[in-house]
Amino acid sequence: MGTSAPLRLGRTREGYDLTLDLSDSWHTAVQGMSRSGKSVATYALLAPLASRRDVVVCGVDPTGILLNPWRDHPGSQWRHLGTGDMVHAAETLEALTDEMDRRIAGLLEQDLDKLDQFNEACPLLVVVLEEYPGTLSAAEGDDAASGAKAADRVQPRIKRCVRRLVQEGAKVGVRLMVIAQRMDASIVGGAERSNLGNRITLRVDNSDAVSMLHPMAGPEVVDVVTRMPVGRAIVDRPGEDMAMVQVDFLDYKGYVRHVREHAPE
C-alpha cells in the first residue's frame, strides 16, 4: 500500500466531496483569471500538506505570496521566491531535476519501476509553479537585458527542467502543480499537457483556454465556464467524467496561519 495524500478540492453539484490524491501518478494544472477564486482554492489545497512530514511543498513563485509561508518548512533548497534572481529560479528547478535523477538511479539499483512509499528522508515533492507564465516572462526579460548567448539563457533552462519533471518525475514522487491564468500552448506544450492528468479550470475569459485544457468539453460547457461565478470550477481527472465543483475557500490569513502553525520545531 503506497503513501496516500488526498486533498479535498470542494463539493460537486451532486453533493459529494471531490479530492485529488497526490499518491496518484498525475500532475495538476490549475487555470483561472484574476478574481475567479483560483488563489483561495490553491490555499485550501496546499494548507493540509503543512502537517505532513512525508511531503515537501516547493517550487518557483514569482510573487513569493504563495510559497513564502513555507519558509520554515523543509525543502528550502527547492524553493525560489521573487523575480530578482531568475538564475536562482533555474538553479532551483535544476536541483529538483537532480533529485529526480538521483531517485531514478536508485530505482535502477533496486530493480524497481516506481516509488510509492515516502517519508522524511525521501518525501513526496509537490512542486508548485505559481503563475508559471510570469516566471517565464521574467526569465525572458532577464535574458534580453543581459544579452546572454543562447546556451546561457535562463528561460530555456527553466522550460527544460519543467519538461523533464513533468515527463519523468511522477514515478519517483514528484508532483507538479502548474498554476496560470491560461494554459496557452506557448506556456505548456502538448507533451507536458498530456501528463497533467488533474485539470482544474475556474472562470476564464477565453473559450480557447477551456478547450486547450479540456478538449472533450462541448460548446455548452465552454460557454458556462466563461461565465461561472467566483469559486466554481470544472475538473477533469483520468478515467472519470468531468465534474463541476464549488471549490473550498481559505483566505490568505488562514492559509498563512495554518502553514506556519504546522512548521517543524
Side-chain angles (χ1 to χ4, degrees):
M1 187 70 176
T3 298
S4 179
L7 301 176
R8 177 183 146 121
L9 177 64
R11 182 159 292 228
T12 70
R13 289 188 299 183
E14 293 74 26
Y16 64 85
D17 291 346
L18 189 146
T19 61
L20 306 177
D21 194 337
L22 296 181
S23 63
D24 295 334
S25 297
W26 294 104
H27 306 293
T28 300
V30 183
Q31 70 173 356
M33 61 191 296
S34 297
R35 294 177 292 280
S36 66
K38 180 172 83 270
S39 293
V40 295
T42 304
Y43 303 153
L45 276 175
L46 293 179
L49 297 175
S51 60
R52 300 288 297 255
R53 297 298 170 254
D54 56 348
V55 177
V56 165
V57 174
C58 52
V60 174
D61 178 0
T63 67
I65 292 172
L66 182 60
L67 292 182
N68 184 57
W70 297 87
R71 63 179 181 268
D72 295 325
H73 285 254
S76 59
Q77 72 273 31
W78 298 317
R79 283 194 290 270
H80 171 85
L81 279 63
T83 57
D85 184 358
M86 297 311 295
V87 171
H88 183 261
E91 290 172 346
T92 298
L93 291 169
E94 287 166 350
L96 280 161
T97 305
D98 289 343
E99 173 65 11
M100 178 185 72
D101 287 339
R102 184 189 70 79
R103 293 184 180 193
I104 291 173
L107 290 183
L108 295 174
E109 291 174 1
Q110 300 174 68
D111 293 328
L112 297 174
D113 64 349
K114 65 178 180 179
L115 294 178
D116 59 8
Q117 295 283 353
F118 303 97
N119 51 47
E120 288 189 65
C122 183
L124 187 74
L125 300 177
V126 179
V127 182
V128 181
L129 301 180
E130 166 69 327
E131 294 300 344
Y132 183 47
T135 294
L136 294 180
S137 179
E140 183 179 37
D142 275 15
D143 288 337
S146 68
K149 296 179 180 179
D152 300 323
R153 291 173 187 164
V154 175
Q155 192 196 66
R157 291 168 60 186
I158 291 173
K159 284 188 169 183
R160 184 163 55 247
C161 288
V162 170
R163 186 179 305 114
R164 287 204 59 209
L165 290 167
V166 168
Q167 294 178 345
E168 304 171 46
K171 69 184 71 173
V172 289
V174 177
R175 304 289 186 270
L176 268 71
M177 183 178 292
V178 185
I179 305 169
Q181 294 193 23
R182 288 176 51 177
M183 292 290 169
D184 291 337
S186 60
I187 303 301
V188 180
E192 294 98 312
R193 192 179 299 107
S194 65
N195 288 285
L196 298 172
N198 299 317
R199 302 180 178 194
I200 304 165
T201 294
L202 293 97
R203 186 176 69 244
V204 292
D205 60 359
N206 187 292
S207 59
D208 290 341
V210 183
S211 301
M212 184 71 68
L213 201 57
H214 307 274
M216 300 304 293
E220 67 286 351
V221 173
V222 172
D223 180 63
V224 167
V225 173
T226 59
R227 297 182 290 106
M228 286 193 304
V230 174
R232 191 76 52 81
I234 59 168
V235 182
D236 268 330
R237 296 183 296 174
E240 299 185 15
D241 293 335
M242 180 183 296
M244 185 166 288
V245 178
Q246 185 65 39
V247 301
D248 290 338
F249 178 95
L250 180 64
D251 67 14
Y252 189 64
K253 287 185 178 180
Y255 167 68
V256 171
R257 181 172 60 252
H258 184 89
V259 172
R260 289 181 178 169
E261 286 177 352
H262 289 85
E265 296 182 357

